[in-house]
Amino acid sequence: MATKIYTLPNIEIPEAFYKLREQAKCHLQSPSEYATGLDVINNTNLMYFSNTQKAEFWTLKGIFLAKLNLVSKASEAFATAGLIDTGLAKAWAAWGQFNDKLFKEQPKEIKFGKPPGDLQSKAAQAIRATMVAEGRLIPLEE
């Protein structure tokens, strides 16, 4: 269905963005539709969209990947969204919620001194992402 948008001759970029975003979000309503929603995002050519719009798609991708329990890929998608548009609060908030959920699911698994990727790191990422989303912290430039 996402490919049909490109066959419409006079559709404006913002309209295409809203249509695709809402179409993808509809698939979040049912666990059996998560893979379909991810396909909508993966089959969308982001070349025509603004950085903010691209970051929103990457955030949605992270949400779908998290719902599909593809934790590593979800984290990468959220990180990409944050890098594309460092000012998009909903991207930082979604990443913070994602990391907070991971931390809450396994709070006793914290092991100090482990490299990034352990739950302590995820907790720190959740806190940092939430603070960025709330405007209390400026994202680090890497």
Side-chain angles (χ1 to χ4, degrees):
M1 181 172 248
T3 56
K4 290 183 181 179
I5 285 181
Y6 298 111
T7 63
L8 299 174
N10 294 322
I11 192 164
E12 297 289 329
I13 299 296
E15 292 172 20
F17 167 74
Y18 294 128
K19 180 173 176 28
L20 286 165
R21 182 184 65 183
E22 294 309 311
Q23 179 184 356
K25 287 168 101 177
C26 285
H27 295 291
L28 284 171
Q29 304 304 312
S30 172
S32 65
E33 294 288 318
Y34 294 160
T36 305
L38 184 58
D39 285 343
V40 168
I41 293 167
N42 285 336
N43 291 322
T44 299
N45 183 348
L46 300 180
M47 181 176 82
Y48 300 103
F49 298 112
S50 70
N51 282 348
T52 299
Q53 292 167 332
K54 289 175 188 175
E56 279 199 52
F57 275 119
W58 278 98
T59 300
L60 274 172
K61 183 174 183 169
I63 292 168
F64 278 109
L65 290 165
K67 298 267 187 196
L68 291 166
N69 206 30
L70 300 170
V71 175
S72 179
K73 289 182 179 184
S75 189
E76 289 176 20
F78 288 122
T80 301
L83 289 172
I84 290 173
D85 186 346
T86 59
L88 184 63
K90 63 173 91 171
W92 291 102
W95 195 10
Q97 290 169 347
F98 165 75
N99 282 300
D100 186 55
K101 181 178 181 282
L102 289 178
F103 179 70
K104 285 178 180 175
E105 288 174 355
Q106 302 175 7
K108 295 183 181 186
E109 295 294 316
I110 298 175
K111 295 186 178 157
F112 297 98
K114 289 188 78 179
D118 69 335
L119 288 174
Q120 181 183 7
S121 174
K122 289 180 182 9
Q125 289 177 2
I127 292 166
R128 173 171 280 292
T130 302
M131 290 178 71
V132 168
E134 292 175 352
R136 294 190 283 164
L137 186 68
I138 299 171
L140 295 174
E141 298 291 328
E142 304 221 12

